[in-house]
Amino acid sequence: MSSPSPLSPVSEHQQRITDLVGLLPPTTVPLAEAVGLVLAEPVVAQESLPSFDNSAMDGYAVRAADIAGASPESPVVLPVVADIPAGSPVGDLSPGTAHRIMTGAPLPRGADAVVEVEATDSGTDAVAITAARDAGSFIRCAGVDVTAGATALPAGVLIGPGQVGLLAALGMHDVVAHPRPRVLVCSTGSELAEDPVPGSGQIRDSNSAMLAAAVEDAGGVALRRLWVADDVPRFLETLDAELHAGVDLLLTSGGVSAGAYEVVKDALGPRGVEFTKVAMQPGMPQGSGRYADTPVVCLPGNPVSSLVSFEVFVRPALRASYGHPRPHRPVLRAELPVPVTSPPGKRQFRRGRLDRATGTVEPWGPAGSGFLGWLAGADCLIDIPADVTELAEGDQVDVWDLSGG
């Protein structure tokens, strides 16, 4: 008898999936749709920001020399000859006068300081100013934020609300970014039911809904959820019809183990997709490769195995595909309040609950792969190395924070 094939290390399979999905080519994206994407090229400002000198306060535009001796005991009184609300055209300030000015309004020519309203009597025809101000006080000069010709945002920046605000202020309507990966999610298994009430021996398809949600949470686009029975010709026919429009990844669940009726393995194995066993628990059977020139990742069908496999292999690959600067979940160190065992030779990803107040993490539910209720209650994965079989109370472990991005 031939010896069983050695198990692939988790890190090796992680790299295989990341390389398979790759970095998506950049495209032009409307600014309104760019939040969560990553700039593929730097943004060079075509104008300064602000584009004109303006007031940083509600107050009075003046010449600093005219109020040099102002104090509460000896205020300087100047006639107010103009009002400048924000958005007004700029005018000229004559020596010995003041213009009442609002925050963001353009500074009149000839003014070199703004006196905040709190240092005045708020007069409208004439204003009594009770404090001297140096030239430049409370003035936002043109280009003080961004200078025309300078790099406003470098390539690789994750676009959030602040970046959108800057780009909009610079007059940009679109950006060049790596697009969200489009993922076709497909569950397999004749035991899965589409009917509201499953028949005898059937269950509702939860994997496709779960994995589609995971794709969206990772920043991708789940184009459609499919269910296909354990029938190889029908499975291939369904894939051919769906892949014709083009997707960035085909993600399947189920049909990858060593038993009979493994439709994904039977259909895609002879067509270039490689199926292997990874040294991990849960989620040992895995598949990856290309079908119809589309990257394919095949996950096991048990719900816990499927979602854990997604977290370990697919999520970081999807985020890397659009250049996310942090493709992996945050990893924390926490203390075990109870002893834990792990199978030899397999890296275990155990569901857990993290207590941030105490810095402890407790295993959450049984270690089996079919416990959806326990899966929904977990907020982290306890990462136990393959060469560790026992951990004692008080030992420190790595914890993948599932609530962190």
Side-chain angles (χ1 to χ4, degrees):
M1 294 179 62
S2 60
S3 59
S5 301
L7 303 181
S8 300
V10 169
S11 58
E12 181 180 297
H13 197 67
Q14 281 177 321
Q15 190 61 54
R16 175 178 172 84
I17 301 303
T18 298
D19 293 343
L20 175 67
V21 178
L23 180 64
L24 298 176
T27 187
T28 300
V29 181
L31 184 59
E33 301 172 11
V35 172
L37 298 183
V38 176
L39 283 176
E41 58 183 37
V43 174
V44 177
Q46 300 303 306
E47 60 187 62
S48 293
L49 190 67
S51 57
F52 54 86
D53 295 347
N54 67 87
S55 177
M57 298 285 283
D58 291 337
Y60 296 83
V62 298
R63 294 174 184 257
D66 289 339
I67 62 167
S71 69
E73 296 76 21
S74 180
V76 172
V77 179
L78 298 175
V80 178
V81 299
D83 266 352
I84 314 176
S88 297
V90 69
D92 294 320
L93 177 77
S94 299
T97 66
H99 290 185
R100 192 168 66 155
I101 193 168
M102 305 303 138
T103 302
L107 197 71
R109 290 181 293 269
D112 62 4
V114 171
V115 180
E116 70 277 24
V117 70
E118 292 82 1
T120 74
D121 67 351
S122 304
T124 55
D125 295 323
V127 60
I129 298 173
T130 58
R133 291 291 178 258
D134 294 332
S137 295
F138 300 119
I139 294 174
R140 293 186 293 221
C141 297
V144 69
D145 191 3
V146 179
T147 304
T151 298
L153 291 173
V157 165
L158 183 65
I159 301 171
Q163 289 73 31
V164 169
L166 172 60
L167 295 170
L170 291 171
M172 300 195 64
H173 301 290
D174 48 48
V175 295
V176 178
H178 298 285
R180 304 178 194 279
R182 299 163 301 160
V183 183
L184 177 64
V185 178
C186 179
S187 287
T188 64
S190 295
E191 76 279 10
L192 303 179
E194 295 180 297
D195 298 327
V197 180
S200 177
Q202 291 190 310
I203 58 174
R204 295 184 182 89
D205 172 24
S206 60
N207 277 7
S208 63
M210 177 177 67
L211 292 175
V215 167
E216 297 279 346
D217 183 64
V221 178
L223 296 181
R224 188 175 176 189
R225 301 199 307 265
L226 298 175
W227 165 78
V228 182
D230 291 327
D231 181 282
V232 169
R234 181 181 172 187
F235 176 68
L236 292 174
E237 180 182 345
T238 302
L239 291 189
D240 291 341
E242 294 293 333
L243 295 177
H244 178 73
V247 300
D248 300 308
L249 175 67
L250 167 62
L251 182 64
T252 72
S253 65
V256 298
S257 296
Y261 307 108
E262 303 293 348
V263 64
V264 175
K265 191 173 184 179
D266 293 343
L268 300 182
R271 293 166 174 82
V273 175
E274 179 182 341
F275 292 87
T276 188
K277 293 182 178 180
V278 178
M280 65 183 287
Q281 186 189 58
M284 184 173 66
Q286 302 285 335
S288 61
R290 287 184 174 272
Y291 174 72
D293 203 33
T294 299
V296 179
V297 174
C298 307
L299 305 180
N302 282 325
V304 175
S305 297
S306 194
L307 188 58
V308 169
S309 297
F310 181 94
E311 285 289 337
V312 175
F313 303 119
V314 184
R315 179 184 169 88
L318 289 182
R319 285 162 73 87
S321 76
Y322 63 96
H324 199 289
R326 298 179 299 278
H328 299 280
R329 293 284 194 184
V331 178
L332 313 173
R333 291 289 285 178
E335 181 180 304
L336 287 169
V338 295
V340 172
T341 60
S342 187
K346 292 182 180 179
R347 186 172 169 183
Q348 183 176 193
F349 294 92
R350 186 77 179 267
R351 299 179 302 283
R353 290 289 292 268
L354 183 63
D355 187 332
R356 298 175 188 275
T358 62
T360 60
V361 62
E362 187 168 1
W364 189 249
S369 297
F371 296 98
L372 268 172
W374 290 103
L375 175 65
D379 61 10
C380 65
L381 293 176
I382 304 170
D383 184 358
I384 304 174
D387 60 353
V388 174
T389 57
E390 294 185 3
L391 290 164
E393 178 183 346
D395 282 349
Q396 295 277 324
V397 290
D398 283 342
V399 176
W400 292 25
D401 183 2
L402 300 182
S403 65

